[in-house]
Amino acid sequence: MKTYQLVGIGNAVVDVISQTEDAFLTDNGIEKGIMQLIEQDRAEALYGAMANRLQTPGGSVANTIAGAGALGLDTAFIGRVRDDDLGQFYADAMNEDGVDFVNPPVAGGELPTSRSMIFVSPDGERSMNTYLGISSELSSDDVPSEVAGKAELMFLEGYLFDKDKGKEAFLEAARDCHKGGGKIGIAISDPFCVDRHRGDFLSLIEHQMDFVIGNEAEIQSLFQTDHLGDALMMTAALCPLVVCTRSGDGVTVMEGTSRIDVPVEKITPVDATGAGDQFAAGFLYGMATGRDLETCAKIGNVCAREVISHIGPRPETNVTELLREAGLL
Protein backbone atom coordinates (compact mmCIF):
# COMPACT_ATOMS: atom_id res chain seq x y z
CA MET A 1 0.00 0.00 0.00
CA LYS A 2 1.24 3.47 -0.90
CA THR A 3 2.71 5.73 1.79
CA TYR A 4 1.33 9.27 1.68
CA GLN A 5 3.15 12.32 2.95
CA LEU A 6 -0.17 13.98 3.83
CA VAL A 7 -3.72 12.62 4.17
CA GLY A 8 -6.75 14.79 4.92
CA ILE A 9 -10.17 13.89 6.29
CA GLY A 10 -12.95 16.41 5.77
CA ASN A 11 -16.17 17.50 4.15
CA ALA A 12 -16.25 16.80 0.42
CA VAL A 13 -18.24 19.77 -0.86
CA VAL A 14 -18.75 20.83 -4.46
CA ASP A 15 -18.53 24.63 -4.74
CA VAL A 16 -21.05 25.80 -7.31
CA ILE A 17 -20.38 29.41 -8.29
CA SER A 18 -22.63 31.75 -10.26
CA GLN A 19 -22.45 35.48 -10.92
CA THR A 20 -25.73 37.20 -10.19
CA GLU A 21 -27.41 40.53 -9.59
CA ASP A 22 -28.44 41.72 -6.14
CA ALA A 23 -32.07 41.52 -7.25
CA PHE A 24 -31.69 37.75 -7.65
CA LEU A 25 -30.55 37.49 -4.03
CA THR A 26 -33.55 39.49 -2.87
CA ASP A 27 -36.01 37.53 -5.00
CA ASN A 28 -34.67 34.22 -3.68
CA GLY A 29 -34.36 35.23 -0.03
CA ILE A 30 -30.55 34.92 0.00
CA GLU A 31 -28.82 36.97 2.68
CA LYS A 32 -25.91 38.77 1.09
CA GLY A 33 -22.31 38.24 2.16
CA ILE A 34 -22.71 35.40 4.66
CA MET A 35 -22.67 31.61 4.74
CA GLN A 36 -25.95 29.88 5.56
CA LEU A 37 -26.59 26.18 6.08
CA ILE A 38 -29.60 25.02 4.12
CA GLU A 39 -31.68 21.86 3.75
CA GLN A 40 -31.94 19.54 0.74
CA ASP A 41 -35.08 21.03 -0.85
CA ARG A 42 -33.66 24.54 -0.66
CA ALA A 43 -30.33 23.32 -2.06
CA GLU A 44 -31.98 21.70 -5.06
CA ALA A 45 -34.10 24.77 -5.75
CA LEU A 46 -31.13 27.17 -5.62
CA TYR A 47 -28.95 24.83 -7.66
CA GLY A 48 -31.62 24.70 -10.36
CA ALA A 49 -31.94 28.50 -10.38
CA MET A 50 -28.23 29.14 -10.94
CA ALA A 51 -27.15 30.40 -14.34
CA ASN A 52 -23.77 29.59 -15.95
CA ARG A 53 -22.67 27.40 -13.05
CA LEU A 54 -18.96 26.95 -12.40
CA GLN A 55 -18.28 23.83 -10.32
CA THR A 56 -15.09 23.15 -8.38
CA PRO A 57 -14.21 20.60 -5.68
CA GLY A 58 -14.16 22.27 -2.27
CA GLY A 59 -14.22 21.78 1.48
CA SER A 60 -11.75 23.31 3.93
CA VAL A 61 -9.30 20.45 4.46
CA ALA A 62 -9.79 19.29 0.87
CA ASN A 63 -8.53 22.71 -0.23
CA THR A 64 -5.54 22.31 2.09
CA ILE A 65 -4.70 18.90 0.68
CA ALA A 66 -5.02 20.17 -2.90
CA GLY A 67 -2.69 23.08 -2.08
CA ALA A 68 -0.09 20.78 -0.53
CA GLY A 69 -0.37 18.46 -3.52
CA ALA A 70 0.26 21.39 -5.85
CA LEU A 71 3.52 21.96 -3.97
CA GLY A 72 4.58 18.41 -4.72
CA LEU A 73 3.52 16.27 -1.75
CA ASP A 74 2.04 12.80 -2.25
CA THR A 75 -1.46 13.41 -0.90
CA ALA A 76 -4.78 11.67 -0.36
CA PHE A 77 -8.20 12.86 0.77
CA ILE A 78 -10.84 10.91 2.66
CA GLY A 79 -14.38 12.20 2.20
CA ARG A 80 -17.88 10.97 1.50
CA VAL A 81 -19.76 11.67 -1.75
CA ARG A 82 -22.76 9.97 -3.32
CA ASP A 83 -22.66 8.18 -6.66
CA ASP A 84 -24.54 11.04 -8.34
CA ASP A 85 -23.41 13.57 -10.93
CA LEU A 86 -21.84 15.93 -8.39
CA GLY A 87 -20.20 13.08 -6.49
CA GLN A 88 -18.63 11.68 -9.65
CA PHE A 89 -17.49 15.19 -10.57
CA TYR A 90 -15.90 15.69 -7.15
CA ALA A 91 -14.00 12.40 -7.15
CA ASP A 92 -12.76 12.88 -10.71
CA ALA A 93 -11.74 16.51 -10.10
CA MET A 94 -9.72 15.66 -6.98
CA ASN A 95 -7.93 12.84 -8.79
CA GLU A 96 -7.22 15.14 -11.75
CA ASP A 97 -5.69 17.64 -9.32
CA GLY A 98 -3.21 14.96 -8.26
CA VAL A 99 -4.93 14.11 -4.95
CA ASP A 100 -5.93 10.46 -4.45
CA PHE A 101 -9.62 10.46 -3.54
CA VAL A 102 -9.62 7.13 -1.78
CA ASN A 103 -13.35 6.65 -1.19
CA PRO A 104 -15.47 5.49 -4.13
CA PRO A 105 -18.75 7.44 -4.44
CA VAL A 106 -21.42 5.71 -2.35
CA ALA A 107 -23.96 3.88 -4.51
CA GLY A 108 -27.47 4.56 -3.21
CA GLY A 109 -26.08 6.89 -0.55
CA GLU A 110 -28.45 8.15 2.13
CA LEU A 111 -28.15 11.81 1.03
CA PRO A 112 -27.00 13.70 -2.09
CA THR A 113 -23.46 14.93 -2.52
CA SER A 114 -22.76 18.05 -0.47
CA ARG A 115 -22.68 21.39 -2.27
CA SER A 116 -22.23 25.07 -1.53
CA MET A 117 -24.07 27.44 -3.85
CA ILE A 118 -21.99 30.61 -4.04
CA PHE A 119 -23.57 33.69 -5.59
CA VAL A 120 -21.09 36.40 -6.58
CA SER A 121 -22.59 39.90 -6.75
CA PRO A 122 -21.34 42.64 -9.10
CA ASP A 123 -19.40 44.15 -6.16
CA GLY A 124 -17.54 40.85 -5.63
CA GLU A 125 -19.44 39.92 -2.45
CA ARG A 126 -19.95 36.17 -2.05
CA SER A 127 -23.19 34.80 -0.60
CA MET A 128 -22.85 31.13 0.31
CA ASN A 129 -25.64 28.61 0.82
CA THR A 130 -24.25 25.28 1.96
CA TYR A 131 -26.00 21.93 2.04
CA LEU A 132 -23.87 19.49 4.02
CA GLY A 133 -25.54 16.39 2.59
CA ILE A 134 -23.70 13.08 2.64
CA SER A 135 -20.27 14.49 3.55
CA SER A 136 -21.29 15.09 7.16
CA GLU A 137 -22.24 11.40 7.49
CA LEU A 138 -18.59 10.31 7.31
CA SER A 139 -17.82 7.51 9.75
CA SER A 140 -14.98 5.17 10.63
CA ASP A 141 -16.18 2.88 7.81
CA ASP A 142 -15.00 5.57 5.38
CA VAL A 143 -11.48 5.73 6.81
CA PRO A 144 -9.36 2.90 5.35
CA SER A 145 -6.92 1.73 8.01
CA GLU A 146 -4.35 0.99 5.32
CA VAL A 147 -4.43 4.67 4.28
CA ALA A 148 -4.43 6.15 7.79
CA GLY A 149 -1.74 3.71 8.87
CA LYS A 150 0.54 4.74 6.00
CA ALA A 151 0.18 8.52 6.45
CA GLU A 152 3.25 10.45 7.51
CA LEU A 153 0.98 13.39 8.38
CA MET A 154 -2.79 13.37 8.78
CA PHE A 155 -4.99 16.48 8.98
CA LEU A 156 -8.57 16.46 10.29
CA GLU A 157 -11.39 18.95 9.72
CA GLY A 158 -13.04 20.13 12.92
CA TYR A 159 -16.43 20.55 11.26
CA LEU A 160 -16.81 16.75 11.13
CA PHE A 161 -16.61 16.64 14.92
CA ASP A 162 -20.27 17.69 15.10
CA LYS A 163 -21.52 14.09 14.90
CA ASP A 164 -20.65 11.09 17.04
CA LYS A 165 -19.74 9.01 14.00
CA GLY A 166 -17.29 11.73 12.97
CA LYS A 167 -15.70 11.73 16.42
CA GLU A 168 -15.24 7.97 16.27
CA ALA A 169 -13.74 8.22 12.78
CA PHE A 170 -11.20 10.73 14.09
CA LEU A 171 -10.24 8.51 17.02
CA GLU A 172 -9.75 5.46 14.82
CA ALA A 173 -7.79 7.46 12.26
CA ALA A 174 -5.54 8.80 15.02
CA ARG A 175 -4.88 5.33 16.39
CA ASP A 176 -4.04 3.94 12.96
CA CYS A 177 -1.85 6.91 12.06
CA HIS A 178 0.12 6.75 15.31
CA LYS A 179 0.48 2.98 15.02
CA GLY A 180 2.14 3.52 11.65
CA GLY A 181 4.48 6.15 13.09
CA GLY A 182 2.70 9.18 11.63
CA LYS A 183 1.64 12.46 13.21
CA ILE A 184 -1.91 13.74 13.26
CA GLY A 185 -3.40 17.21 13.69
CA ILE A 186 -6.66 19.08 13.43
CA ALA A 187 -7.98 22.28 11.91
CA ILE A 188 -10.24 23.71 14.59
CA SER A 189 -12.50 25.05 11.80
CA ASP A 190 -15.09 27.03 13.74
CA PRO A 191 -15.47 28.53 17.26
CA PHE A 192 -19.15 27.54 17.27
CA CYS A 193 -18.20 23.90 16.67
CA VAL A 194 -15.86 24.14 19.67
CA ASP A 195 -18.66 25.69 21.75
CA ARG A 196 -20.89 22.70 21.00
CA HIS A 197 -18.26 20.07 21.86
CA ARG A 198 -15.64 21.78 24.02
CA GLY A 199 -14.95 18.88 26.37
CA ASP A 200 -14.58 16.32 23.60
CA PHE A 201 -12.50 18.73 21.51
CA LEU A 202 -10.06 19.34 24.36
CA SER A 203 -9.83 15.63 25.11
CA LEU A 204 -9.07 14.86 21.47
CA ILE A 205 -6.38 17.53 21.34
CA GLU A 206 -4.79 16.42 24.60
CA HIS A 207 -4.77 12.67 24.02
CA GLN A 208 -4.63 12.19 20.25
CA MET A 209 -3.31 15.28 18.42
CA ASP A 210 0.31 16.08 17.63
CA PHE A 211 -0.52 19.54 16.26
CA VAL A 212 -3.37 22.05 16.11
CA ILE A 213 -3.92 24.78 13.54
CA GLY A 214 -6.47 27.56 14.05
CA ASN A 215 -7.04 31.29 13.99
CA GLU A 216 -7.25 33.60 17.00
CA ALA A 217 -10.98 33.19 17.56
CA GLU A 218 -10.75 29.41 17.30
CA ILE A 219 -7.80 29.08 19.69
CA GLN A 220 -9.44 31.44 22.19
CA SER A 221 -12.71 29.50 22.00
CA LEU A 222 -11.03 26.37 23.34
CA PHE A 223 -10.71 27.99 26.77
CA GLN A 224 -13.37 30.71 26.50
CA THR A 225 -10.91 33.55 26.94
CA ASP A 226 -10.32 36.84 25.14
CA HIS A 227 -6.60 36.70 25.99
CA LEU A 228 -4.79 35.03 23.12
CA GLY A 229 -1.56 34.59 25.06
CA ASP A 230 -3.34 32.64 27.78
CA ALA A 231 -5.20 30.52 25.23
CA LEU A 232 -1.95 29.70 23.42
CA MET A 233 -0.18 28.67 26.62
CA MET A 234 -3.09 26.49 27.75
CA THR A 235 -3.40 24.83 24.35
CA ALA A 236 0.36 24.27 24.19
CA ALA A 237 0.15 22.54 27.57
CA LEU A 238 -2.14 19.95 25.95
CA CYS A 239 -0.60 19.56 22.50
CA PRO A 240 3.06 19.50 21.35
CA LEU A 241 2.58 22.02 18.52
CA VAL A 242 0.07 24.88 18.23
CA VAL A 243 -0.13 27.13 15.17
CA CYS A 244 -2.26 30.28 15.33
CA THR A 245 -2.93 32.54 12.34
CA ARG A 246 -3.71 36.17 13.18
CA SER A 247 -4.65 37.64 9.78
CA GLY A 248 -2.52 40.73 9.11
CA ASP A 249 -0.80 40.40 12.49
CA GLY A 250 1.15 37.33 11.44
CA VAL A 251 1.43 33.81 12.79
CA THR A 252 2.32 32.47 16.22
CA VAL A 253 3.80 29.00 16.65
CA MET A 254 4.00 27.39 20.08
CA GLU A 255 6.14 24.33 20.74
CA GLY A 256 5.89 23.71 24.46
CA THR A 257 6.79 27.01 26.12
CA SER A 258 8.78 28.15 23.09
CA ARG A 259 7.02 30.84 21.05
CA ILE A 260 7.83 31.99 17.50
CA ASP A 261 6.09 35.03 15.97
CA VAL A 262 6.31 35.31 12.19
CA PRO A 263 5.12 38.61 10.67
CA VAL A 264 3.26 39.03 7.38
CA GLU A 265 3.13 41.90 4.93
CA LYS A 266 -0.38 43.33 5.10
CA ILE A 267 -2.24 43.49 1.77
CA THR A 268 -5.84 44.11 0.83
CA PRO A 269 -7.33 40.76 -0.20
CA VAL A 270 -9.26 40.34 -3.42
CA ASP A 271 -11.01 37.36 -1.82
CA ALA A 272 -10.07 36.10 1.64
CA THR A 273 -11.71 32.72 1.00
CA GLY A 274 -9.23 29.91 1.56
CA ALA A 275 -6.53 31.95 3.30
CA GLY A 276 -6.44 29.67 6.34
CA ASP A 277 -6.72 26.54 4.21
CA GLN A 278 -3.75 27.48 2.03
CA PHE A 279 -1.68 28.65 5.00
CA ALA A 280 -2.18 25.16 6.42
CA ALA A 281 -1.15 23.66 3.05
CA GLY A 282 2.12 25.54 3.13
CA PHE A 283 2.82 24.86 6.79
CA LEU A 284 2.17 21.14 6.40
CA TYR A 285 4.32 21.05 3.27
CA GLY A 286 7.11 22.50 5.37
CA MET A 287 6.59 19.91 8.09
CA ALA A 288 6.49 17.05 5.60
CA THR A 289 9.75 18.14 3.99
CA GLY A 290 11.66 18.67 7.25
CA ARG A 291 11.72 22.48 7.49
CA ASP A 292 12.07 24.27 10.82
CA LEU A 293 8.89 25.74 12.27
CA GLU A 294 9.66 29.35 11.38
CA THR A 295 10.23 28.38 7.76
CA CYS A 296 7.01 26.33 7.81
CA ALA A 297 5.11 29.45 8.87
CA LYS A 298 6.79 31.57 6.20
CA ILE A 299 5.86 29.03 3.53
CA GLY A 300 2.28 29.09 4.82
CA ASN A 301 2.22 32.88 4.59
CA VAL A 302 3.32 32.80 0.94
CA CYS A 303 0.55 30.29 0.14
CA ALA A 304 -2.07 32.37 1.94
CA ARG A 305 -0.92 35.54 0.21
CA GLU A 306 -1.28 33.89 -3.21
CA VAL A 307 -4.82 32.67 -2.61
CA ILE A 308 -6.16 36.01 -1.33
CA SER A 309 -4.86 37.73 -4.47
CA HIS A 310 -7.63 36.22 -6.63
CA ILE A 311 -11.13 34.79 -6.50
CA GLY A 312 -11.34 31.20 -5.28
CA PRO A 313 -9.95 29.03 -2.46
CA ARG A 314 -7.19 27.17 -4.33
CA PRO A 315 -3.89 28.39 -5.83
CA GLU A 316 -3.95 29.64 -9.40
CA THR A 317 -0.26 30.43 -9.91
CA ASN A 318 2.88 28.33 -9.48
CA VAL A 319 3.38 28.66 -5.72
CA THR A 320 6.64 26.70 -5.90
CA GLU A 321 8.08 29.53 -7.96
CA LEU A 322 6.84 32.07 -5.41
CA LEU A 323 8.59 30.12 -2.66
CA ARG A 324 11.81 30.04 -4.64
CA GLU A 325 11.62 33.81 -5.17
CA ALA A 326 11.17 34.21 -1.42
CA GLY A 327 14.25 32.07 -0.75
CA LEU A 328 12.23 29.38 1.02
CA LEU A 329 13.12 26.47 -1.26
Side-chain angles (χ1 to χ4, degrees):
M1 185 66 195
K2 180 176 180 178
T3 296
Y4 292 101
Q5 291 171 288
L6 177 63
V7 175
I9 302 178
N11 279 306
V13 182
V14 177
D15 288 338
V16 188
I17 304 169
S18 177
Q19 293 184 314
T20 190
E21 300 295 327
D22 286 346
F24 177 91
L25 303 181
T26 302
D27 292 344
N28 287 275
I30 298 169
E31 192 166 346
K32 185 175 179 178
I34 67 167
M35 193 280 281
Q36 292 179 297
L37 292 178
I38 57 175
E39 298 300 323
Q40 182 176 345
D41 290 349
R42 173 74 166 162
E44 291 174 351
L46 289 179
Y47 183 79
M50 298 180 86
N52 300 315
R53 295 186 294 249
L54 171 66
Q55 297 181 170
T56 62
S60 176
V61 164
N63 289 335
T64 293
I65 301 305
L71 289 171
L73 293 189
D74 285 327
T75 57
F77 181 68
I78 295 170
R80 189 172 175 84
V81 298
R82 185 173 176 171
D83 188 15
D84 52 22
D85 287 346
L86 284 180
Q88 291 287 356
F89 164 80
Y90 191 96
D92 290 345
M94 290 293 282
N95 288 324
E96 288 168 7
D97 283 345
V99 177
D100 286 353
F101 188 74
V102 300
N103 305 81
V106 181
E110 62 276 23
L111 293 169
T113 295
S114 309
R115 66 203 69 176
S116 181
M117 276 66 67
I118 303 170
F119 298 91
V120 182
S121 307
D123 60 0
E125 193 74 71
R126 295 156 68 90
S127 307
M128 305 173 69
N129 295 260
T130 302
Y131 168 60
L132 290 178
I134 197 173
S135 70
S136 63
E137 298 299 316
L138 185 137
S139 71
S140 54
D141 293 337
D142 300 301
V143 183
S145 59
E146 64 270 20
V147 175
K150 289 284 189 177
E152 294 177 6
L153 291 174
M154 180 167 275
F155 194 43
L156 311 178
E157 184 173 315
Y159 287 123
L160 285 175
F161 210 64
D162 253 336
K163 294 193 175 182
D164 287 341
K165 61 179 70 175
K167 295 176 185 178
E168 186 57 38
F170 281 7
L171 291 173
E172 290 199 21
R175 286 194 288 267
D176 288 337
C177 182
H178 285 146
K179 192 181 300 181
K183 292 185 176 182
I184 190 164
I186 191 167
I188 298 176
S189 296
D190 188 337
F192 298 109
C193 187
V194 174
D195 290 342
R196 291 189 291 270
H197 309 281
R198 182 167 288 102
D200 286 343
F201 236 111
L202 290 172
S203 178
L204 181 78
I205 289 170
E206 180 177 8
H207 299 293
Q208 302 293 341
M209 296 298 103
D210 299 295
F211 60 92
V212 172
I213 300 178
N215 62 30
E216 285 180 89
E218 292 160 356
I219 296 292
Q220 289 171 335
S221 71
L222 289 171
F223 294 96
Q224 296 175 282
T225 176
D226 293 329
H227 299 285
L228 179 61
D230 292 346
L232 286 168
M233 289 296 292
M234 288 187 283
T235 309
L238 300 181
C239 186
L241 179 62
V242 181
V243 184
C244 178
T245 58
R246 297 182 287 119
S247 299
D249 293 327
V251 178
T252 297
V253 182
M254 296 286 297
E255 188 177 33
T257 57
S258 173
R259 173 171 174 158
I260 302 169
D261 290 300
V262 181
V264 296
E265 180 184 348
K266 292 186 179 181
I267 65 169
T268 301
V270 173
D271 176 10
T273 308
D277 302 338
Q278 294 310 317
F279 170 84
F283 193 94
L284 294 173
Y285 169 81
M287 286 182 64
T289 53
R291 267 70 174 186
D292 63 83
L293 294 176
E294 183 174 359
T295 301
C296 290
K298 289 179 177 179
I299 293 172
N301 286 341
V302 170
C303 294
R305 181 187 177 93
E306 189 280 337
V307 83
I308 66 174
S309 70
H310 57 76
I311 300 291
R314 295 191 177 186
E316 290 186 351
T317 59
N318 189 326
V319 184
T320 300
E321 288 300 320
L322 298 179
L323 293 174
R324 286 200 183 98
E325 290 170 10
L328 295 171
L329 290 183

